[in-house]
Amino acid sequence: MNFEDILYEVRNGVAWITINRADKMNAFRGQTCDEIIRALNKAGYDKSVGAIVLAGAGDRAFCTGGDQSAHNGNYDGRGTIGLPMEELHTAIRDVPKPVIARVQGFAIGGGNVLATICDLTICSDKAQFGQVGPKMGSVDPGYGTAFLARVVGEKKAREIWYLNRRYSGAEAVAMGLANFCFPHDQLDAEVQKIGEELCERSPTALAIAKRSFNADTAHQAGIAGLGMYALKLYYDTEESREGVNALKDKRKPEFRKYAK
């Protein structure tokens, strides 16, 4: 497989899928999502692979969500909102192997959603988690909200979405958003170590366990599908566009000016 936006490598049975857009803080465009989906399917059904790591290139960011330079009422790819987010989220959940989010820096917006959905999240002490949707004229009306509430509790999830604050790796572990937080220079070694530990487990038992966990929240796929259509309609409003315009103009958005 030829990839442009990601890197794909198997290290001793652990497949590393790395978003290779460090100059964009590993924000994803339509093509990025498509390539991650392809890589997940490649690794998920490769019998020599026992675990999958989802990572971001460079030191600054794991992923900062959708690339705002490719967003003007709709993103630049396919899917309901121009990004195949439902498919990407489903791919992470449905691939029959554990997926580890390796967070070395910012996991913001859609990047925070990816870290939430992955089976395990392992971060460094330089990691920063959080949401920015309501500050940018956006929201994740599927797993990013409903499933996040299941992971960290509803009160905390509402805090994350309503107040748009940032949380350290240690805070993420304390709230249940991350499993482990390691010193920054030890992160890759620890992620690989845990990945290899998973490779020693029965792949069938892990696949059944993953399906069983997912069954409890499978109905949230319906929420996500419905929500993405609502989001598409929202993106076509001046209120939503105000977030992108304010970012470009380097000013504070005036959402209430356009709210109906």
Side-chain angles (χ1 to χ4, degrees), residues 71 73 75 81 137-139 231-237 240-241:
H71 176 39
Y75 286 96
I81 61 169
S138 183
V139 68
L231 190 61
K232 177 180 175 63
L233 295 174
Y234 171 51
Y235 279 164
D236 198 34
T237 67
S240 176
R241 291 194 184 102

Side-chain angles (χ1 to χ4, degrees), residues 4-23:
E4 181 181 345
D5 284 13
I6 69 169
L7 302 173
Y8 183 88
E9 179 186 6
V10 178
R11 308 176 189 173
N12 197 26
V14 181
W16 284 66
I17 300 170
T18 304
I19 303 172
N20 192 29
R21 307 189 79 221
D23 60 321

Side-chain angles (χ1 to χ4, degrees), residues 39-163:
L40 284 166
N41 287 326
K42 175 181 174 67
Y45 298 95
D46 181 344
K47 291 184 178 180
S48 69
V49 170
I52 302 168
V53 173
L54 182 59
D59 263 352
R60 296 186 66 196
F62 163 67
C63 176
T64 54
D67 183 354
Q68 294 300 307
S69 67
H71 176 39
N72 184 20
N74 208 37
Y75 286 96
D76 66 334
R78 60 185 180 83
T80 307
I81 61 169
L83 293 171
M85 296 313 304
E86 304 103 301
E87 290 181 50
L88 176 54
H89 295 167
T90 297
I92 293 172
R93 284 171 59 88
D94 283 359
V95 70
K97 291 169 186 176
V99 181
I100 302 169
R102 171 260 197 193
V103 180
Q104 86 288 20
F106 293 112
I108 302 295
N112 191 77
V113 177
L114 295 181
T116 301
I117 295 172
C118 286
D119 296 278
L120 300 174
T121 297
I122 303 174
C123 64
S124 91
D125 52 10
K126 293 185 179 181
Q128 292 282 316
F129 296 82
Q131 280 300 336
V132 294
K135 292 174 68 176
M136 294 298 300
S138 183
V139 68
D140 187 300
Y143 290 116
T145 45
F147 187 64
L148 178 67
R150 183 66 63 91
V151 172
V152 303
E154 189 158 326
K155 287 288 188 180
K156 196 67 178 180
R158 288 174 188 257
E159 173 192 315
I160 291 169
W161 272 101
Y162 294 174
L163 299 181

Side-chain angles (χ1 to χ4, degrees), residues 43 77 94 102 162 166 176 187 219-220:
D94 283 359
R102 171 260 197 193
Y162 294 174
R166 293 182 181 176
L187 180 62
H219 65 283
Q220 292 178 354

